[in-house]
Amino acid sequence: MKFLERFKKPGQPGKGAVQPPVPAAPVRDPRADQAAQLPYEEGRRALSPRWQPGTQYQDRHVDALRSKDQAAGGNINQVDLLTYRDLHLGAGQQGYFKEAKAGEDIGDAARAIGIDEADPRLENRSVATSRTAEAMGVGGVIAKTAFATHDGKKGSVSEKAAGRSLVENSDKEVTDAKLLSEIKAHPEEYIGDEKGIDPFGAPGRYRKDPETGKIYQKKAIQEVRAHDLTNPRTQKEMNDLQWIDSITGQVDRHGGNIFIDPQSGAVKGIDNDASFGSEGSDDPKKLATANLGASHYAGLPTLVDAATAASIKQLSEEDLRKRITPLLSPKEVEDTIARLKAVKQRLRFLELAGSVVGGGEGQQHAAWDAGTYQEEVGSESSYLGRSARNYQEASAAVAKGPRPDLKVETAEEGAAWRPKPVGIQVPKHLEKAVHDMPSLTAEKFDRHRGGGAKKAPGPAPAIGGHRLPKPAATSAAPSAVVPSAAQAAALPALEQKAPALSMPPKKPLPKPPAAKPPATPLPKLGNPSFKAKRAMFENLSQAAAKGKPDPGKTM
């Protein structure tokens, strides 16, 4: 070894050795420039993986007894109803969980605006819609949506809307023997594959119940429900919902995705994932049904509320960009900004035309009333007008004759509707244990967890968890049995024939034991003085000297 090689640092190549390659400069994430303009937390989320492990909407917060799997279903997917114990989602604690999937049918309207089935990111679009509505100042009109995990799956959970939808489509059981045999012979054409897609890439028209094996035709029966669309709040919020869809590029706002609460008239838009497209989506007019046949978007409204117009005008492009950039692609973000500009231009036009409701001097309508209702019904580009015309046309069709595929609710039936509470659902792994229990109520589980006030015990339950009917409460004593006249006449003869009954003599009760005399109380010893202690010591000493036993040891 040469002398200088002794001082070579470990790992340092010698003279003539091949130098290691210089590491290449790290490739900068193209999203970093955009994230640098965001606040720290939003920028961190933009550059981090899509799913954050710390999302608060997890199963550990879910009340399993008040939740239900596959509680509802849209045109594409089934959703689970979840009830959170200590978390709020919008106005309540219940929400519908939709799993994030790829490679399944997303609908013609979503495909028409450039949403890729291989990576649809529907959960991102729902959350972006909720954030956009909040930025517009009308967040209560859209179901609050957040990322969530459930049963080991990732997706989003949306607020459970109060009330019910304008239209409800239901499946119809197939009973025709010829059609049933045809479906069973070619299930791939009628039902589709395991994902419900036929060979042509469209959703199957029929489905098979895995439990019963029955065949159903999808969405074969349509029920048009009666709602009071003249309600001022309903008019305003239906209009607000249409302005939200104009900015988000929503193309699936049919009657089943609009909920109205009959008690308050509040409107809520649900199923908001067919939005924020990237093809032909830079102008709301291109997304209207008149230009895009598969779309359910009516177009830019002809009226606007004064408060909503002022809130949209204050929404800056930078603020909206910050809210949706972490969730959407750059092209989708830029198309959204272009739609925002088009909406603001439309608002300036409506202000000049006097179509701002409650806008003051120079405007046609001071409030949402009968005048605004008539104008909305006569407009082709209005959600409220489209819903009113749909109900009128369905009523006229049913009046001509019975329609097995169409049901129209009367105004009386709509006024009598009341929401149904969600029943208790028992997890599968606890079904046998719960069946063996005499009674299972949610209140008992609440008390077990420490929540809820204790209630007085009810009547004894019967087998199977069903409670026995309560006996009628009576304050009077039970009435005596009164014999009939014939029975009263025969009583003396029966008493003579009846043998005399002899009762055994009663045994005297044992005398209580005599009370023992109370024990003589021991004298209380006080604190002896020094002289008494001295005399006691002397006595003990004399007794020990005479050989007498120590009195203390004999005790």
Coordinates of all heavy atoms in Angstrom, one line a residue, residues 32 95 131 158 183 200 313 356 396 429 475 511:
A32 N -46.3 21.9 -8.6 CA -45.6 22.7 -7.5 C -45.8 24.2 -7.7 O -46.0 24.9 -6.7 CB -44.2 22.3 -7.4
G95 N -75.4 10.5 6.3 CA -74.9 10.7 5.0 C -74.9 9.4 4.2 O -74.9 8.3 4.8
R131 N -67.6 22.5 -2.2 CA -66.7 23.7 -1.9 C -67.1 24.9 -2.8 O -67.1 26.0 -2.3 CB -65.2 23.3 -2.2 CG -64.7 22.3 -1.2 CD -63.2 22.0 -1.4 NE -62.7 21.0 -0.6 CZ -61.4 20.6 -0.5 NH1 -60.5 21.2 -1.4 NH2 -61.0 19.7 0.3
S158 N -72.0 12.0 1.4 CA -72.8 13.2 1.2 C -73.9 13.3 2.2 O -74.5 12.3 2.5 CB -73.3 13.2 -0.3 OG -72.3 13.2 -1.2
I183 N -84.3 -13.8 -21.5 CA -83.3 -13.2 -20.6 C -82.4 -14.2 -20.1 O -81.1 -14.1 -20.0 CB -83.9 -12.4 -19.5 CG1 -84.7 -11.2 -20.1 CG2 -82.9 -11.9 -18.5 CD1 -85.5 -10.4 -19.0
F200 N -72.3 -3.9 -25.6 CA -72.2 -2.6 -26.4 C -71.7 -1.5 -25.5 O -71.6 -0.3 -25.9 CB -73.6 -2.2 -27.0 CG -74.1 -3.2 -27.9 CD1 -75.1 -4.1 -27.4 CD2 -73.7 -3.3 -29.2 CE1 -75.6 -5.1 -28.3 CE2 -74.2 -4.3 -30.0 CZ -75.2 -5.2 -29.6
K313 N -70.9 37.8 -7.5 CA -70.0 38.9 -7.9 C -68.8 39.0 -7.1 O -67.7 39.4 -7.5 CB -70.8 40.2 -8.0 CG -71.8 40.3 -9.0 CD -72.6 41.6 -9.0 CE -73.7 41.7 -10.1 NZ -74.4 43.0 -10.0
V356 N -83.5 40.9 -11.5 CA -82.9 40.6 -10.2 C -84.0 40.7 -9.2 O -84.6 41.8 -8.9 CB -81.8 41.5 -9.9 CG1 -81.2 41.2 -8.5 CG2 -80.7 41.5 -11.0
A396 N -101.8 14.8 -17.0 CA -102.7 14.7 -18.2 C -102.6 13.3 -18.8 O -103.6 12.7 -19.3 CB -102.3 15.7 -19.2
H429 N -72.4 -10.4 11.7 CA -71.7 -11.3 12.7 C -72.4 -11.2 14.1 O -72.0 -12.0 15.0 CB -70.3 -10.8 12.8 CG -70.1 -9.5 13.4 ND1 -70.3 -8.3 12.6 CD2 -69.7 -9.0 14.6 CE1 -70.0 -7.3 13.3 NE2 -69.7 -7.7 14.5
S475 N -108.5 1.9 36.5 CA -108.4 2.3 37.9 C -109.4 1.6 38.8 O -109.1 1.5 40.0 CB -108.6 3.8 37.9 OG -109.9 4.1 37.4
K511 N -92.7 -18.3 70.4 CA -92.4 -17.1 71.1 C -91.0 -16.6 70.8 O -90.1 -17.3 70.6 CB -92.5 -17.4 72.6 CG -93.9 -17.7 73.1 CD -93.9 -18.0 74.6 CE -95.3 -18.3 75.0 NZ -95.4 -18.5 76.5

